[in-house]
Amino acid sequence: MKAVCWMGKEDMQVHEVPEPKILNPRDAIVRVTTTCICGSDLHLYDGLVPTLAQGDILGHEFMGEVVETGPGVDSAKLKTGDRVVVPFTIACGGCGPCHEELWSLCDNSNPNAWFVEKLMGHSPSGLFGYTHMMGGYAGGQAQYVRVPFADVGPIKVPESLRDDQVVFLSDIFPTGYMAAENCNIKPGDTVAIWGCGPIGQFAIRSAFMMGAGRVIAIDHVPERLQMAREGGAETLNFDDVDVLEALREITGSKGPDACMDAVGMEASGHGMQYFYDSAKQKLRLVQDRIGVLRQCIQACRKGGTVSVPGVYAGFDDKVPLGAFMNKSLTLKTGQTHMMRYMKPLLERIEKGEIDPSFVISHRLPLTQAPEGYRIFREKEDHCTKVVLDPWAEAAAA
Amino acid sequence: MPLMLLAGALGAYSLVRGKPKLVATAAVGAIGAVAIRRSAEKAATEQGKPDAAVASFVIRCSRERAYELWRDFENLPRFMPHLQSVTRREHQSHWTVAGPLGVHLSWNAEIVEEVENERISWRSLPGSLVTNEGAIEFRPGPHEGSILATLRMQYFLPGGAVGKTFTTMLGRNPEFTVREDLRRFKAFLETGEIPTTAGQTHGPRGIHGHLQNILLRETSNMPKPQRTAKVEPIRRIA
């Protein structure tokens, strides 16, 4: 089968690889019909997250048809022929965190838990197509994929909905939604969202669903700001204005009730602080550029909430803990607890409340994934989201 | 002493030739040589202290189920992949491990104490090649429906400090092994299987990819897939 492999920094290649096999009783094999490139794949592309190995298959946003199930899969929940969206976090359904619906913190799904424990104290759940410290599971930018604990995560979707309407239930829609939920929004609240990529876009729309009065979206890519305005947000371009001053002015010196960092470890910016972060990251002295997180803490109103869906990987410095403590802020973050949100959000899509396909800018065959990574990273050609068809060329042939 | 000289010579040569892999080998060799010497001296004067390791995990299951799984020692190789087999007849048991470099070691053990649903302890019989003691204990956990499992192991590794260095290099350091064994026991009880990526598909690894897999110990520690296991997995929590 064809699969998108990480061969080194900024070196994605499509290779013919062996098809996945059922390894454990509760595994299933899914024939992938649609898969996507995520912003967090770009951190891997840029070689910034450690423990990725040459030859790893990436991809954690995918859906398809179940073609084989292991003997331990509960057939009442999943069987061959089901059309499913697979969440990017892998959860066993049997451990303490799973019972508390903290699905992305599953105790059992990361076979390399010992490794990440040394770094973080505890291990979060395994992830598809990510680093080896997050389990090293082969990902879904391929024609077939092995899905462990297949009767817990995957959600069946009706034939009436197209792939591009439901595929984002695998990550970015629930992630944007949980990020908005983490803002602790009360009716009429003002929410500032840094980053108008796909997560930011879904967060803007989710914040309004939760009753936000105003959403202020911050970015510098014109088409992304335009998309944010279409979602009802007011926008700030950080190339043109001083974000902190602008937010103070807009909110009457109060500051946004909640600030969201939907950017993460590769924040862009200006001035000395950005230069300092970039230099340290290039020298591998820190993993993350935390410019946006600093702004979130600085801008947030007293007693407000900072929500962080953006990915961070390491130990970072110059965190304004003084402001954080003295302003009584609340910080909420985490990988998305997918299974909490997939079903209710599918219902919203079915009711026509939202059509998530609005974020798609590019539809490419899987074989053009390397080009997809490049344009997505460079934000060329108005690229906001790349969707890949694993079978496009096979169908044409 | 000749070993140390050899290691030193190798180290110097590889530093000059800029071969980092050889430098590492030489360093390990030198440490090994010191360890052999010290262990020989120690053996001449005293018996040495055993290596003790302990690990605890909170597991979502009943004490009955955990006890049931453990007391049948023949289950142990399911979550202790370094064990080749264990057979038990009443208070006696026979253990076989696949040691380093494909060497098989076996020994006999006896049950020291067995309290239903609470604890089991065992120790090797005098004259065994591998002298060891072990105990598993199940206590009520912090929440309803959970238990606190504690595994303690104590053993004199063959080869003393050298043996320990060697097993550490192979990813079988006692502390690590005990913790990972108990982690797999927990996964098996909570999910009916042990998560693994061993044998999954991937693209061309190249030298870099292979090296990284070794560094991440993926080859030495990943449990084998259970699809081929002779025994059916036990019922998991609904």
Side-chain angles (χ1 to χ4, degrees), chain A residues 253-307:
Chain A
S253 299
K254 183 187 172 196
D257 299 291
C259 290
M260 183 190 299
D261 172 358
V263 176
M265 61 194 288
E266 293 185 73
S268 306
H270 299 290
M272 269 310 288
Q273 177 190 278
Y274 176 66
F275 175 75
Y276 169 86
D277 285 341
S278 302
K280 280 196 94 167
Q281 192 178 44
K282 285 214 171 68
L283 293 167
R284 294 290 187 271
L285 293 171
V286 291
Q287 245 118 33
D288 311 308
R289 304 200 295 260
I290 65 161
V292 164
L293 183 65
R294 287 192 201 109
Q295 285 197 344
C296 283
I297 292 171
Q298 209 70 25
C300 195
R301 73 150 234 231
K302 293 180 280 185
T305 304
V306 176
S307 163

Tab-separated table of all heavy atoms in Angstrom, chain A residues 253-307:
chain	number	residue	atom	x	y	z
A	253	SER	N	-9.935	48.371	28.502
A	253	SER	CA	-8.898	48.100	29.519
A	253	SER	C	-9.162	46.864	30.384
A	253	SER	O	-8.355	46.527	31.232
A	253	SER	CB	-8.687	49.303	30.460
A	253	SER	OG	-8.272	50.413	29.697
A	254	LYS	N	-10.293	46.236	30.178
A	254	LYS	CA	-10.609	45.085	31.038
A	254	LYS	C	-9.793	43.863	30.641
A	254	LYS	O	-9.330	43.103	31.485
A	254	LYS	CB	-12.105	44.770	30.919
A	254	LYS	CG	-12.555	43.638	31.818
A	254	LYS	CD	-14.012	43.278	31.516
A	254	LYS	CE	-14.416	42.024	32.256
A	254	LYS	NZ	-15.654	41.441	31.728
A	255	GLY	N	-9.605	43.672	29.345
A	255	GLY	CA	-8.946	42.465	28.844
A	255	GLY	C	-9.980	41.416	28.513
A	255	GLY	O	-11.078	41.409	29.092
A	256	PRO	N	-9.687	40.523	27.572
A	256	PRO	CA	-10.630	39.457	27.222
A	256	PRO	C	-10.891	38.544	28.421
A	256	PRO	O	-9.996	38.313	29.228
A	256	PRO	CB	-9.913	38.689	26.114
A	256	PRO	CG	-8.825	39.580	25.633
A	256	PRO	CD	-8.444	40.456	26.783
A	257	ASP	N	-12.123	38.051	28.528
A	257	ASP	CA	-12.452	37.143	29.644
A	257	ASP	C	-11.708	35.829	29.523
A	257	ASP	O	-11.402	35.167	30.510
A	257	ASP	CB	-13.964	36.874	29.649
A	257	ASP	CG	-14.744	38.159	29.850
A	257	ASP	OD1	-14.672	38.708	30.963
A	257	ASP	OD2	-15.383	38.622	28.884
A	258	ALA	N	-11.453	35.433	28.272
A	258	ALA	CA	-10.661	34.226	28.061
A	258	ALA	C	-9.722	34.462	26.888
A	258	ALA	O	-10.070	35.150	25.934
A	258	ALA	CB	-11.566	33.036	27.772
A	259	CYS	N	-8.513	33.885	26.979
A	259	CYS	CA	-7.541	33.996	25.899
A	259	CYS	C	-7.133	32.590	25.490
A	259	CYS	O	-6.875	31.743	26.343
A	259	CYS	CB	-6.303	34.760	26.366
A	259	CYS	SG	-6.635	36.497	26.642
A	260	MET	N	-7.106	32.371	24.174
A	260	MET	CA	-6.796	31.016	23.698
A	260	MET	C	-5.535	31.023	22.840
A	260	MET	O	-5.415	31.798	21.905
A	260	MET	CB	-7.975	30.483	22.880
A	260	MET	CG	-7.747	29.047	22.404
A	260	MET	SD	-8.978	28.520	21.204
A	260	MET	CE	-10.470	28.641	22.152
A	261	ASP	N	-4.616	30.120	23.164
A	261	ASP	CA	-3.401	29.953	22.366
A	261	ASP	C	-3.620	28.762	21.427
A	261	ASP	O	-3.400	27.612	21.796
A	261	ASP	CB	-2.215	29.704	23.312
A	261	ASP	CG	-0.935	29.336	22.577
A	261	ASP	OD1	-0.958	29.231	21.335
A	261	ASP	OD2	0.085	29.140	23.268
A	262	ALA	N	-4.103	29.057	20.218
A	262	ALA	CA	-4.314	27.994	19.216
A	262	ALA	C	-3.151	27.999	18.233
A	262	ALA	O	-3.317	27.769	17.044
A	262	ALA	CB	-5.644	28.207	18.498
A	263	VAL	N	-1.967	28.283	18.755
A	263	VAL	CA	-0.768	28.353	17.918
A	263	VAL	C	0.235	27.292	18.350
A	263	VAL	O	0.613	26.416	17.581
A	263	VAL	CB	-0.129	29.759	17.999
A	263	VAL	CG1	1.173	29.807	17.215
A	263	VAL	CG2	-1.102	30.808	17.477
A	264	GLY	N	0.669	27.405	19.625
A	264	GLY	CA	1.602	26.414	20.127
A	264	GLY	C	3.052	26.749	19.880
A	264	GLY	O	3.431	27.919	19.799
A	265	MET	N	3.851	25.709	19.689
A	265	MET	CA	5.303	25.795	19.807
A	265	MET	C	6.014	26.560	18.706
A	265	MET	O	7.195	26.840	18.824
A	265	MET	CB	5.869	24.390	19.906
A	265	MET	CG	5.566	23.530	18.692
A	265	MET	SD	5.902	21.797	19.014
A	265	MET	CE	7.671	21.809	19.042
A	266	GLU	N	5.350	26.864	17.605
A	266	GLU	CA	6.036	27.560	16.528
A	266	GLU	C	5.420	28.941	16.279
A	266	GLU	O	5.124	29.314	15.152
A	266	GLU	CB	6.011	26.727	15.248
A	266	GLU	CG	6.840	25.457	15.359
A	266	GLU	CD	6.926	24.691	14.062
A	266	GLU	OE1	7.643	25.160	13.166
A	266	GLU	OE2	6.272	23.644	13.941
A	267	ALA	N	5.248	29.674	17.369
A	267	ALA	CA	4.628	30.991	17.269
A	267	ALA	C	5.482	31.940	16.439
A	267	ALA	O	6.695	31.957	16.550
A	267	ALA	CB	4.425	31.567	18.666
A	268	SER	N	4.815	32.725	15.582
A	268	SER	CA	5.494	33.802	14.869
A	268	SER	C	5.393	35.050	15.721
A	268	SER	O	4.643	35.094	16.695
A	268	SER	CB	4.831	34.062	13.519
A	268	SER	OG	4.757	32.876	12.784
A	269	GLY	N	6.128	36.088	15.345
A	269	GLY	CA	6.038	37.317	16.115
A	269	GLY	C	7.043	38.329	15.649
A	269	GLY	O	7.617	38.184	14.568
A	270	HIS	N	7.236	39.340	16.449
A	270	HIS	CA	8.157	40.411	16.091
A	270	HIS	C	9.021	40.765	17.278
A	270	HIS	O	8.713	40.425	18.409
A	270	HIS	CB	7.374	41.664	15.668
A	270	HIS	CG	6.505	41.426	14.474
A	270	HIS	ND1	7.018	41.217	13.222
A	270	HIS	CD2	5.156	41.326	14.346
A	270	HIS	CE1	6.011	41.024	12.371
A	270	HIS	NE2	4.877	41.068	13.035
A	271	GLY	N	10.110	41.466	16.992
A	271	GLY	CA	10.892	42.089	18.051
A	271	GLY	C	11.874	41.162	18.738
A	271	GLY	O	12.068	40.007	18.337
A	272	MET	N	12.449	41.683	19.796
A	272	MET	CA	13.511	40.997	20.537
A	272	MET	C	13.059	39.642	21.077
A	272	MET	O	13.779	38.669	21.036
A	272	MET	CB	13.930	41.873	21.732
A	272	MET	CG	15.055	42.843	21.446
A	272	MET	SD	16.456	42.044	20.675
A	272	MET	CE	17.114	41.117	22.060
A	273	GLN	N	11.831	39.643	21.598
A	273	GLN	CA	11.353	38.432	22.243
A	273	GLN	C	11.264	37.270	21.246
A	273	GLN	O	11.670	36.150	21.534
A	273	GLN	CB	9.986	38.725	22.836
A	273	GLN	CG	9.335	37.549	23.477
A	273	GLN	CD	7.896	37.864	23.816
A	273	GLN	OE1	7.625	38.482	24.842
A	273	GLN	NE2	6.987	37.456	22.975
A	274	TYR	N	10.783	37.592	20.036
A	274	TYR	CA	10.668	36.569	19.003
A	274	TYR	C	12.049	36.103	18.573
A	274	TYR	O	12.298	34.904	18.389
A	274	TYR	CB	9.891	37.125	17.801
A	274	TYR	CG	9.820	36.160	16.643
A	274	TYR	CD1	9.116	34.972	16.771
A	274	TYR	CD2	10.475	36.427	15.445
A	274	TYR	CE1	9.052	34.078	15.719
A	274	TYR	CE2	10.418	35.529	14.397
A	274	TYR	CZ	9.715	34.362	14.536
A	274	TYR	OH	9.655	33.469	13.504
A	275	PHE	N	12.970	37.033	18.454
A	275	PHE	CA	14.333	36.703	18.068
A	275	PHE	C	14.964	35.770	19.103
A	275	PHE	O	15.566	34.755	18.775
A	275	PHE	CB	15.147	38.001	17.942
A	275	PHE	CG	16.591	37.764	17.662
A	275	PHE	CD1	17.009	37.368	16.391
A	275	PHE	CD2	17.548	37.918	18.660
A	275	PHE	CE1	18.346	37.133	16.134
A	275	PHE	CE2	18.883	37.668	18.410
A	275	PHE	CZ	19.289	37.283	17.133
A	276	TYR	N	14.763	36.101	20.367
A	276	TYR	CA	15.291	35.303	21.476
A	276	TYR	C	14.731	33.870	21.430
A	276	TYR	O	15.471	32.890	21.500
A	276	TYR	CB	14.912	35.993	22.788
A	276	TYR	CG	15.144	35.201	24.044
A	276	TYR	CD1	16.382	35.212	24.672
A	276	TYR	CD2	14.116	34.447	24.616
A	276	TYR	CE1	16.598	34.489	25.832
A	276	TYR	CE2	14.325	33.721	25.778
A	276	TYR	CZ	15.566	33.744	26.383
A	276	TYR	OH	15.768	33.024	27.529
A	277	ASP	N	13.403	33.753	21.267
A	277	ASP	CA	12.767	32.428	21.220
A	277	ASP	C	13.281	31.613	20.043
A	277	ASP	O	13.593	30.426	20.179
A	277	ASP	CB	11.246	32.567	21.086
A	277	ASP	CG	10.592	33.003	22.391
A	277	ASP	OD1	11.242	32.845	23.442
A	277	ASP	OD2	9.454	33.480	22.347
A	278	SER	N	13.365	32.246	18.867
A	278	SER	CA	13.787	31.527	17.665
A	278	SER	C	15.213	31.040	17.803
A	278	SER	O	15.533	29.910	17.443
A	278	SER	CB	13.710	32.438	16.440
A	278	SER	OG	12.421	32.919	16.294
A	279	ALA	N	16.085	31.919	18.333
A	279	ALA	CA	17.493	31.539	18.479
A	279	ALA	C	17.605	30.343	19.417
A	279	ALA	O	18.293	29.362	19.122
A	279	ALA	CB	18.290	32.721	19.013
A	280	LYS	N	16.894	30.380	20.532
A	280	LYS	CA	16.983	29.275	21.490
A	280	LYS	C	16.434	27.981	20.897
A	280	LYS	O	16.951	26.907	21.132
A	280	LYS	CB	16.239	29.621	22.782
A	280	LYS	CG	17.042	30.516	23.694
A	280	LYS	CD	16.491	30.548	25.097
A	280	LYS	CE	17.167	29.535	25.995
A	280	LYS	NZ	16.871	29.759	27.410
A	281	GLN	N	15.361	28.120	20.096
A	281	GLN	CA	14.784	26.906	19.502
A	281	GLN	C	15.733	26.315	18.463
A	281	GLN	O	15.924	25.106	18.402
A	281	GLN	CB	13.429	27.232	18.868
A	281	GLN	CG	12.638	25.990	18.493
A	281	GLN	CD	11.282	26.352	17.906
A	281	GLN	OE1	11.165	27.246	17.082
A	281	GLN	NE2	10.259	25.651	18.325
A	282	LYS	N	16.362	27.184	17.673
A	282	LYS	CA	17.299	26.696	16.658
A	282	LYS	C	18.466	25.966	17.301
A	282	LYS	O	18.965	24.981	16.780
A	282	LYS	CB	17.814	27.861	15.811
A	282	LYS	CG	16.779	28.352	14.816
A	282	LYS	CD	17.400	28.827	13.520
A	282	LYS	CE	16.339	29.098	12.481
A	282	LYS	NZ	15.491	30.275	12.846
A	283	LEU	N	18.906	26.460	18.452
A	283	LEU	CA	20.022	25.833	19.161
A	283	LEU	C	19.555	24.637	19.997
A	283	LEU	O	20.344	24.030	20.708
A	283	LEU	CB	20.697	26.855	20.066
A	283	LEU	CG	21.412	28.000	19.340
A	283	LEU	CD1	21.775	29.108	20.313
A	283	LEU	CD2	22.639	27.481	18.628
A	284	ARG	N	18.265	24.341	19.928
A	284	ARG	CA	17.673	23.235	20.695
A	284	ARG	C	17.839	23.421	22.208
A	284	ARG	O	17.930	22.471	22.960
A	284	ARG	CB	18.287	21.877	20.289
A	284	ARG	CG	17.959	21.466	18.867
A	284	ARG	CD	16.474	21.100	18.758
A	284	ARG	NE	16.131	20.540	17.465
A	284	ARG	CZ	15.757	21.254	16.412
A	284	ARG	NH1	15.697	22.568	16.496
A	284	ARG	NH2	15.442	20.668	15.279
A	285	LEU	N	17.909	24.683	22.641
A	285	LEU	CA	17.956	24.956	24.076
A	285	LEU	C	16.552	24.914	24.655
A	285	LEU	O	16.356	24.664	25.834
A	285	LEU	CB	18.595	26.322	24.347
A	285	LEU	CG	20.080	26.399	23.987
A	285	LEU	CD1	20.581	27.827	24.078
A	285	LEU	CD2	20.908	25.501	24.874
A	286	VAL	N	15.582	25.231	23.825
A	286	VAL	CA	14.178	25.024	24.202
A	286	VAL	C	13.495	24.354	23.015
A	286	VAL	O	13.965	24.439	21.879
A	286	VAL	CB	13.416	26.341	24.522
A	286	VAL	CG1	13.903	26.970	25.792
A	286	VAL	CG2	13.497	27.313	23.362
A	287	GLN	N	12.378	23.657	23.292
A	287	GLN	CA	11.642	23.040	22.206
A	287	GLN	C	10.644	24.015	21.596
A	287	GLN	O	10.324	23.943	20.442
A	287	GLN	CB	10.874	21.828	22.726
A	287	GLN	CG	11.351	20.534	22.149
A	287	GLN	CD	11.890	19.638	23.230
A	287	GLN	OE1	11.420	19.647	24.356
A	287	GLN	NE2	12.881	18.859	22.902
A	288	ASP	N	10.151	24.923	22.433
A	288	ASP	CA	8.988	25.699	22.034
A	288	ASP	C	9.280	27.197	21.974
A	288	ASP	O	10.069	27.712	22.756
A	288	ASP	CB	7.858	25.468	23.055
A	288	ASP	CG	7.634	23.997	23.329
A	288	ASP	OD1	7.463	23.254	22.359
A	288	ASP	OD2	7.643	23.596	24.500
A	289	ARG	N	8.600	27.847	21.037
A	289	ARG	CA	8.577	29.320	21.039
A	289	ARG	C	7.257	29.716	21.682
A	289	ARG	O	6.194	29.448	21.112
A	289	ARG	CB	8.634	29.860	19.614
A	289	ARG	CG	9.818	29.379	18.795
A	289	ARG	CD	10.088	30.287	17.619
A	289	ARG	NE	9.034	30.302	16.631
A	289	ARG	CZ	9.064	29.612	15.473
A	289	ARG	NH1	10.106	28.870	15.175
A	289	ARG	NH2	8.069	29.686	14.626
A	290	ILE	N	7.317	30.326	22.854
A	290	ILE	CA	6.080	30.485	23.623
A	290	ILE	C	5.530	31.903	23.580
A	290	ILE	O	4.788	32.318	24.468
A	290	ILE	CB	6.255	30.024	25.091
A	290	ILE	CG1	7.263	30.923	25.833
A	290	ILE	CG2	6.717	28.584	25.166
A	290	ILE	CD1	7.128	30.806	27.328
A	291	GLY	N	5.861	32.633	22.519
A	291	GLY	CA	5.450	34.039	22.416
A	291	GLY	C	3.955	34.243	22.588
A	291	GLY	O	3.519	35.188	23.262
A	292	VAL	N	3.157	33.378	21.997
A	292	VAL	CA	1.705	33.538	22.075
A	292	VAL	C	1.200	33.279	23.494
A	292	VAL	O	0.359	34.011	24.009
A	292	VAL	CB	0.992	32.626	21.053
A	292	VAL	CG1	-0.479	32.501	21.382
A	292	VAL	CG2	1.181	33.176	19.651
A	293	LEU	N	1.754	32.254	24.137
A	293	LEU	CA	1.332	31.961	25.510
A	293	LEU	C	1.609	33.161	26.419
A	293	LEU	O	0.781	33.539	27.251
A	293	LEU	CB	2.053	30.713	26.024
A	293	LEU	CG	1.632	30.256	27.422
A	293	LEU	CD1	0.184	29.813	27.431
A	293	LEU	CD2	2.521	29.127	27.930
A	294	ARG	N	2.775	33.801	26.227
A	294	ARG	CA	3.091	34.998	27.023
A	294	ARG	C	2.049	36.085	26.801
A	294	ARG	O	1.565	36.707	27.752
A	294	ARG	CB	4.460	35.552	26.619
A	294	ARG	CG	5.609	34.731	27.106
A	294	ARG	CD	6.927	35.478	26.936
A	294	ARG	NE	8.006	34.521	26.935
A	294	ARG	CZ	8.725	34.200	25.870
A	294	ARG	NH1	8.500	34.814	24.715
A	294	ARG	NH2	9.661	33.286	25.954
A	295	GLN	N	1.698	36.302	25.517
A	295	GLN	CA	0.707	37.343	25.221
A	295	GLN	C	-0.647	37.010	25.848
A	295	GLN	O	-1.337	37.896	26.352
A	295	GLN	CB	0.548	37.517	23.708
A	295	GLN	CG	1.717	38.251	23.084
A	295	GLN	CD	1.385	38.782	21.696
A	295	GLN	OE1	0.413	38.362	21.079
A	295	GLN	NE2	2.214	39.686	21.210
A	296	CYS	N	-1.034	35.722	25.785
A	296	CYS	CA	-2.319	35.304	26.364
A	296	CYS	C	-2.380	35.672	27.841
A	296	CYS	O	-3.377	36.223	28.325
A	296	CYS	CB	-2.499	33.788	26.233
A	296	CYS	SG	-2.958	33.261	24.594
A	297	ILE	N	-1.292	35.356	28.556
A	297	ILE	CA	-1.272	35.613	29.997
A	297	ILE	C	-1.296	37.112	30.262
A	297	ILE	O	-2.003	37.606	31.145
A	297	ILE	CB	-0.032	34.946	30.642
A	297	ILE	CG1	-0.182	33.415	30.583
A	297	ILE	CG2	0.171	35.413	32.079
A	297	ILE	CD1	1.057	32.642	30.988
A	298	GLN	N	-0.528	37.830	29.450
A	298	GLN	CA	-0.434	39.279	29.615
A	298	GLN	C	-1.767	39.971	29.322
A	298	GLN	O	-2.155	40.898	30.013
A	298	GLN	CB	0.644	39.788	28.654
A	298	GLN	CG	1.360	41.027	29.120
A	298	GLN	CD	2.274	40.752	30.307
A	298	GLN	OE1	2.723	39.624	30.488
A	298	GLN	NE2	2.518	41.765	31.122
A	299	ALA	N	-2.467	39.487	28.286
A	299	ALA	CA	-3.683	40.178	27.837
A	299	ALA	C	-4.904	39.832	28.682
A	299	ALA	O	-5.821	40.631	28.811
A	299	ALA	CB	-3.964	39.816	26.381
A	300	CYS	N	-4.916	38.641	29.234
A	300	CYS	CA	-6.140	38.122	29.868
A	300	CYS	C	-6.582	39.016	31.030
A	300	CYS	O	-5.765	39.556	31.761
A	300	CYS	CB	-5.887	36.702	30.367
A	300	CYS	SG	-7.386	35.826	30.765
A	301	ARG	N	-7.885	39.142	31.184
A	301	ARG	CA	-8.401	39.976	32.275
A	301	ARG	C	-8.096	39.333	33.627
A	301	ARG	O	-7.824	38.138	33.707
A	301	ARG	CB	-9.902	40.167	32.106
A	301	ARG	CG	-10.731	38.934	32.438
A	301	ARG	CD	-12.091	39.369	32.955
A	301	ARG	NE	-12.327	38.746	34.223
A	301	ARG	CZ	-13.469	38.071	34.499
A	301	ARG	NH1	-14.425	37.981	33.626
A	301	ARG	NH2	-13.606	37.524	35.672
A	302	LYS	N	-8.170	40.114	34.686
A	302	LYS	CA	-7.943	39.567	36.019
A	302	LYS	C	-8.999	38.493	36.304
A	302	LYS	O	-10.170	38.686	36.007
A	302	LYS	CB	-8.037	40.679	37.074
A	302	LYS	CG	-6.900	41.682	36.956
A	302	LYS	CD	-7.005	42.768	38.004
A	302	LYS	CE	-8.015	43.841	37.615
A	302	LYS	NZ	-8.046	44.967	38.567
A	303	GLY	N	-8.562	37.368	36.820
A	303	GLY	CA	-9.502	36.286	37.130
A	303	GLY	C	-10.006	35.546	35.909
A	303	GLY	O	-10.936	34.746	35.998
A	304	GLY	N	-9.395	35.781	34.753
A	304	GLY	CA	-9.835	35.124	33.518
A	304	GLY	C	-9.202	33.761	33.299
A	304	GLY	O	-8.531	33.214	34.182
A	305	THR	N	-9.464	33.242	32.099
A	305	THR	CA	-9.031	31.874	31.788
A	305	THR	C	-8.159	31.856	30.542
A	305	THR	O	-8.473	32.519	29.560
A	305	THR	CB	-10.268	30.986	31.541
A	305	THR	OG1	-11.119	31.069	32.682
A	305	THR	CG2	-9.869	29.531	31.330
A	306	VAL	N	-7.079	31.090	30.598
A	306	VAL	CA	-6.231	30.887	29.424
A	306	VAL	C	-6.394	29.435	28.981
A	306	VAL	O	-6.207	28.508	29.780
A	306	VAL	CB	-4.749	31.188	29.738
A	306	VAL	CG1	-3.870	30.878	28.530
A	306	VAL	CG2	-4.580	32.632	30.173
A	307	SER	N	-6.782	29.242	27.735
A	307	SER	CA	-6.992	27.894	27.197
A	307	SER	C	-5.917	27.617	26.151
A	307	SER	O	-5.673	28.449	25.279
A	307	SER	CB	-8.391	27.824	26.573
A	307	SER	OG	-8.502	26.702	25.724
